[in-house]
Amino acid sequence: MISAANFHGIGIIRGMFTYIDPTVRERLVEQGTLFQIDRDGHRLEPGQPLPPGSHSISVLGPIPLPIRLCETNFDVQWYACVRNTELGKIEELADDLREQNGQRSFATIASYMAVNSVMLIGDPQRWTQPLVRVHSSCLTGDVFGSERCECGPQMHAALERISTDSEGGMLVYMAGHEGRGIGLWAKAATYLLQDAGENTYEANESLGLPADSRDFSDAAALLKFFAAGRPIRLLTNNPKKVNDLRGFGIQDIKRVKHVIGVTESNRRYLSAKRERGHALSDQDIGGD
């Protein structure tokens, strides 16, 4: 069995997804629909070694994915993306799954995988400055439709704006970013603290957690690969997100304002964001 410490080069290609039949894995590699990129966004050849201590991302796709959200249809090409350091942990659990055929083992394996997604809209060959949204996962907003934040409307509006843009672009969905990186359980606790008077950042800090612990390094690697060095227009109100991506090598970014989904239920939340540096005006937030 390949350990996480040995998860480099050809070992990654041969060792990944051991709970998928190896012949299927090999077929996907041959088709070019299962491949790896390095942290600089370069596509790796099967068996290409990586320097010790470096990391890569496995990518599955493109997968045609017709989407219908809020009565609007989108045709996207979906890529599922996962860090190979996480696949190393999964490798240690796969034998248990095969021997016991237990659902508990599979659930444990799945829980280790923070699978990010890239949804491409339009023809990347025609891009000169694609419109991009790097969206942090938010179960309550994106799926449940919660109005305590503006995440769901931001995601839906981003897909609409990208689909109607003359160039198109992509939405990068970051699965490990719930609650600005603290996870769904802790996020639920912060909601109770917010109801007792704290703002969204103070609640994180009261739990002994960072106000914002999101890691945009994977997003940067994916942008380097899919945008292929082109400048991007980034839909965000958060200058810190721009600065973080620039710190990981995405230099040519034009920030595009993305205000939507403001309600009475989230004005206090948005005011806290503005206090922490988000580019939001009184007119954006509204209210008295």
Side-chain angles (χ1 to χ4, degrees):
M1 184 174 66
I2 300 172
S3 69
N6 294 324
F7 240 64
H8 296 292
I10 193 167
I12 298 173
I13 286 290
R14 291 180 178 170
M16 68 171 67
F17 297 126
T18 50
Y19 54 92
I20 293 178
D21 187 289
T23 61
V24 175
R25 183 181 66 245
E26 291 168 6
R27 190 170 72 207
L28 295 175
V29 172
E30 290 175 358
Q31 291 173 350
T33 53
L34 172 56
F35 58 93
Q36 295 178 72
I37 64 172
D38 64 18
R39 308 303 290 178
D40 293 321
H42 300 134
R43 184 164 177 160
L44 301 174
E45 295 297 326
Q48 181 178 339
L50 287 169
S54 63
H55 305 295
S56 60
I57 297 173
S58 287
V59 181
L60 276 168
I63 303 163
L65 194 69
I67 293 176
R68 183 169 179 80
L69 287 172
C70 299
E71 305 303 315
T72 304
N73 294 89
F74 307 98
D75 289 319
V76 310
Q77 295 294 318
W78 174 43
Y79 293 81
C81 316
V82 64
R83 286 187 185 185
N84 282 311
T85 49
E86 294 183 6
L87 291 174
K89 300 173 186 176
I90 292 165
E91 186 73 21
E92 298 176 3
L93 300 171
D95 283 342
D96 182 44
L97 174 62
R98 287 194 297 270
E99 291 171 6
Q100 300 183 25
N101 194 27
Q103 290 187 357
R104 181 194 64 78
S105 299
F106 184 83
T108 303
I109 285 176
S111 70
Y112 272 118
M113 297 180 66
V115 181
N116 300 318
S117 292
V118 175
M119 291 184 279
L120 298 187
I121 298 177
D123 181 5
Q125 299 300 320
R126 297 179 56 245
W127 288 352
T128 58
Q129 193 179 26
L131 190 61
V132 173
R133 169 74 179 168
V134 176
H135 188 87
S136 295
S137 60
C138 178
L139 178 71
T140 52
D142 299 342
V143 179
F144 296 163
S146 167
E147 292 188 343
R148 293 187 69 133
C149 62
E150 81 280 40
C151 301
Q154 279 192 324
M155 184 183 74
H156 300 164
L159 287 169
E160 289 182 357
R161 293 181 71 172
I162 294 168
S163 67
T164 57
D165 189 81
S166 59
E167 289 196 46
M170 59 183 150
L171 187 145
V172 182
Y173 192 87
M174 302 302 296
H177 282 190
E178 191 77 49
R180 294 189 304 278
I182 64 173
L184 187 60
W185 181 256
K187 173 182 171 180
T190 67
Y191 277 177
L192 296 175
L193 294 176
Q194 289 170 42
D195 290 344
E198 298 184 8
N199 71 35
T200 178
Y201 297 97
E202 292 167 345
N204 279 31
E205 293 163 344
S206 289
L207 294 178
L209 301 171
D212 189 340
S213 58
R214 288 176 293 178
D215 178 1
F216 289 102
S217 60
D218 281 6
L222 294 168
L223 289 173
K224 289 173 186 176
F225 176 74
F226 286 102
R230 301 177 182 92
I232 65 170
R233 292 168 290 147
L234 186 67
L235 290 165
T236 185
N237 307 314
N238 186 0
K240 181 181 181 299
K241 185 184 293 185
V242 175
N243 292 334
D244 286 355
L245 289 172
R246 284 178 175 152
F248 289 115
I250 309 294
Q251 296 300 323
D252 202 344
I253 303 174
K254 178 182 179 182
R255 188 179 66 81
V256 178
K257 198 168 188 175
H258 193 52
V259 178
I260 193 164
V262 180
T263 70
E264 192 61 39
S265 298
N266 60 34
R267 284 197 178 94
R268 180 168 170 264
Y269 165 81
L270 293 171
S271 294
K273 278 189 167 184
R274 181 175 60 183
E275 291 170 5
R276 292 290 179 120
H278 284 234
L280 295 167
S281 67
D282 290 339
Q283 290 73 24
D284 293 330
I285 296 175
D288 296 333

